Amino acid sequence: MLDLPLLSFLIWLPIVGGIGVLIVGDRFGAKQFALGIAALTFLLSLPLYTGFDATTANMQFVELLPWVETFRINYHLGVDGISMPLILLNTFITVLVVIAGWEVITYRISQYMAAFLIMEGLVNGVFVSLDAMLFYIFFEGMLIPLFLIIGIWGGPRRVYASIKFFLYTFFGSVFLLISLIYLYQLGGSFAVADLHKQPIELTPQILIFLSFLLAFGVKVPMWPVHTWLPDAHVEAPTGGSVILAAITLKVGGYAFLRFALPIVPDAAAQLDWLVMLLSLTAIVYIGFVALVQQDMKKLVAYSSIAHMGFVTLGFFAVYGIARYVIGDRVAPEGVPFDLAAQMADGRFDSAILAMQGGMVQMVSHGFISGAMFLCIGVLYDRMHTRDINAYGGVVNRMPMFAAFYVLFAMANTGLPGTSGFVGEFMVILASFKANVWVAILAATTLIVGAAYTLWLVKRVMFGDIRNGEVAELQDINQREFIMLALLAGAVLLLGLWPQPLTDVMEVSIENLLMQALQSKACVGALVGGCL
């Protein structure tokens, strides 16, 4: 299995399978074919974990073929401990999305299933690309199926939402392309590993970082470029909301780790305050915005923005932690600071913890947000409304569903024992060494998250049955039970036993931290000093 081009299979099997679903059509088992392709892709992704060597930071399962030799663009694939968990998340969630649309989607079924399969392959391509131009192609390509999913199977304002989503994300990507072309002109290579080693002066670094911040910040999304997300969620079908929250948002977080921190570390260190400020704004302000929502989808959409704020907060808190650990000391010119020795002594454990927390939060949020949107979809399929005021006393008619709903809601608040607690706790704990007040503010705003989530549960689930429509509700069927039970198991497993996840990413994160703290511009901005 390890000798096979496994990563190519994970990209092209769902893409070719999606085209096959289109050929099969609605009348000849499109759903069954799509489920088979999604399940097979998930099974093929498992050897990435079982065959992964967690003791090395080197890229694994590498594939390298020349593509556009004139510009040194290669078909270069590989995974490390950062990308591998996200691929597993993507393949797992796609199976659930196919199951979720089994009975709900009644028109253009084959196109619907094909869009998600093609989306899966393109997202896998984003996570495994080791060539910047190849990354950009997959990064842009994934917009197309999601644009169609929202625009064709969405709600009444689907056209507006899909165009807004596309324009926001495409606008940011233009600056990404300009930066990648500049980096190619500077070093003559699109290879990500070469870009990580390329010395860059501080001013170009800052400009490149700002372009990265815009391109990847829109994807996360960070405040204030977040306004496309609530509209997209509200209008998207259930499967679209699940993929959008569980997978698409993670592409932005992943790109920060793969591009921004290692390529322009001086600029990231200079502007870490800006990212942390935007992250805290998302955590605090967006939490209060979520508190006043009457549409369940919109509430969970704003909740996603707030929770993703912990991801970027954890990633960029490492610079504040480094300043605390080293005391802003920089090695004299020509005498490099022995960062590796300091890391081996455990002085940067808090920085590693912050990055690990951000990664765990991304995976956890994929499970929890996906589960929340699936639960909202279950209710919407029965009552055709997302208005919170239309519900009340659902537990009396759907006790099994209510149990799942409350579990996922508790995970969304960060209840210990669930995956929602682990990542946020790690980020907050690490942030204390970066800035005590930042950590305190981030921790106290968890109360707001608990407030809007528990208020949602109270109004929808508990109390007396509010109306005749609620009184006629039927509990979840076998299909719905399977998809919710799988997510419940994932939320509890990661919450009670996060070690299998943190172990595979630890060495890769240590290597990334070395790159993120090593100065490229000799400006004394980083603890690594001058190269």
Side-chain angles (χ1 to χ4, degrees):
M1 177 65 74
L2 299 182
D3 295 330
L4 294 175
L6 194 57
L7 301 183
S8 289
F9 275 118
L10 293 176
I11 295 173
W12 300 110
L13 175 62
I15 292 176
V16 174
I19 297 172
V21 169
L22 289 175
I23 295 173
V24 168
D26 296 352
R27 299 181 180 179
F28 302 102
K31 293 185 290 187
Q32 291 81 357
F33 189 21
L35 180 59
I37 293 295
L40 180 58
T41 306
F42 173 65
L43 292 175
L44 285 174
S45 69
L46 295 179
L48 294 183
Y49 183 87
T50 59
F52 189 81
D53 183 2
T55 64
T56 177
N58 295 330
M59 289 293 171
Q60 302 177 44
F61 304 93
V62 175
E63 301 173 32
L64 176 59
L65 293 171
W67 185 21
V68 185
E69 296 187 25
T70 304
F71 300 104
R72 297 181 62 187
I73 300 174
N74 297 311
Y75 180 77
H76 193 187
L77 311 177
V79 295
D80 61 1
I82 296 171
S83 55
M84 184 267 289
L86 298 176
I87 296 171
L88 293 176
L89 176 66
N90 183 33
T91 58
F92 174 66
I93 293 295
T94 302
V95 174
L96 300 183
V97 166
V98 173
I99 296 174
W102 199 267
E103 298 174 358
V104 178
I105 303 301
T106 57
Y107 67 99
R108 295 184 178 180
I109 299 171
S110 59
Q111 291 95 322
Y112 180 86
M113 298 296 178
F116 282 106
L117 291 177
I118 294 171
M119 176 81 177
E120 177 185 20
L122 294 172
V123 172
N124 283 340
V126 169
F127 291 142
V128 303
S129 293
L130 300 182
D131 184 279
M133 192 51 61
L134 185 65
F135 169 88
Y136 180 80
I137 291 171
F138 285 124
F139 187 79
E140 288 297 281
M142 59 179 283
L143 301 180
I144 299 172
L146 194 53
F147 172 81
L148 295 175
I149 289 167
I150 299 172
I152 296 175
W153 293 276
R157 300 177 72 242
R158 58 186 178 273
V159 174
Y160 166 79
S162 59
I163 292 176
K164 187 176 182 180
F165 154 74
F166 190 89
L167 290 179
Y168 265 72
T169 50
F170 185 75
F171 176 76
S173 300
V174 170
F175 293 94
L176 171 62
L177 178 61
I178 294 171
S179 295
L180 294 180
I181 293 173
Y182 173 81
L183 290 169
Y184 170 76
Q185 295 292 333
L186 199 63
S189 174
F190 281 113
V192 173
D194 293 339
L195 298 182
H196 287 181
K197 300 173 185 176
Q198 178 65 45
I200 310 170
E201 295 296 325
L202 180 61
T203 300
Q205 277 200 48
I206 291 176
L207 294 175
I208 292 169
F209 179 81
L210 291 175
S211 72
F212 285 167
L213 181 61
L214 183 59
F216 306 146
V218 170
K219 278 284 199 301
V220 169
M222 300 178 68
W223 182 89
V225 289
H226 67 284
T227 57
W228 63 268
L229 184 67
D231 290 322
H233 271 306
V234 168
E235 299 305 322
T238 298
S241 292
V242 172
I243 287 293
L244 189 59
I247 305 300
T248 306
L249 306 190
K250 311 307 177 289
V251 170
Y254 168 79
F256 274 120
L257 295 183
R258 187 64 76 212
F259 286 86
L261 271 64
I263 293 178
V264 286
D266 297 274
Q270 293 277 323
L271 298 174
D272 64 323
W273 62 270
L274 173 62
V275 181
M276 294 179 71
L277 177 63
L278 297 179
S279 302
L280 284 172
T281 302
I283 295 170
V284 179
Y285 166 69
I286 300 298
F288 283 104
V289 173
L291 196 59
V292 299
Q293 299 304 314
Q294 294 299 316
D295 185 299
M296 287 189 286
K297 259 195 175 183
K298 190 168 281 191
L299 186 150
V300 177
Y302 281 114
S303 171
S304 293
I305 299 169
H307 285 295
M308 288 299 293
F310 279 96
V311 173
T312 49
L313 179 64
F315 291 164
F316 284 86
V318 297
Y319 293 106
I321 295 169
R323 296 188 190 99
Y324 173 83
V325 171
I326 303 302
D328 283 323
R329 288 188 292 108
V330 179
E333 185 174 354
V335 183
F337 182 83
D338 193 351
L339 183 59
Q342 297 294 323
M343 290 183 65
D345 289 342
R347 300 193 68 187
F348 286 92
D349 284 354
S350 293
I352 295 172
L353 183 68
M355 279 192 172
Q356 282 184 319
M359 275 295 301
V360 171
Q361 176 71 357
M362 282 209 292
V363 176
S364 169
H365 181 262
F367 295 143
I368 297 171
S369 64
M372 292 292 287
F373 281 114
L374 284 175
C375 286
I376 294 171
V378 168
L379 292 176
Y380 183 80
D381 293 341
R382 287 159 169 76
M383 291 187 53
H384 303 290
T385 179
R386 294 183 299 268
D387 187 355
I388 296 173
N389 293 325
Y391 294 89
V394 173
V395 67
N396 297 292
R397 299 296 303 160
M398 305 176 68
M400 188 177 297
F401 169 76
F404 283 119
Y405 193 91
V406 171
L407 170 64
F408 298 134
M410 293 299 100
N412 199 51
T413 66
L415 181 72
T418 66
S419 62
F421 171 77
V422 180
E424 292 178 357
F425 176 75
M426 294 169 73
V427 170
I428 293 171
L429 185 64
S431 297
F432 267 99
K433 281 200 172 181
N435 188 301
V436 173
W437 293 110
V438 168
I440 291 174
L441 184 60
T444 52
T445 52
L446 291 177
I447 300 172
V448 179
Y452 62 68
T453 305
L454 295 178
W455 193 29
L456 171 67
V457 172
K458 174 185 177 295
R459 289 182 289 172
V460 173
M461 288 292 130
F462 297 112
D464 297 328
I465 295 176
R466 186 167 298 177
N467 54 55
E469 290 182 304
V470 174
E472 295 177 359
L473 290 175
Q474 298 294 319
D475 213 342
I476 52 176
N477 56 36
Q478 185 178 17
R479 175 185 62 86
E480 294 165 334
F481 176 84
I482 289 173
M483 64 185 188
L484 295 180
L486 288 172
L487 282 168
V491 167
L492 292 174
L493 180 63
L494 182 56
L496 297 172
W497 191 32
Q499 186 176 355
L501 177 59
T502 57
D503 282 353
V504 297
M505 68 175 67
E506 183 171 0
V507 176
S508 295
I509 284 178
E510 289 178 1
N511 180 65
L512 172 64
L513 185 63
M514 287 277 290
Q515 296 174 327
L517 297 181
Q518 195 72 44
S519 176
K520 286 186 173 185
C522 293
V523 296
L526 302 174
V527 299
C530 296
L531 289 174

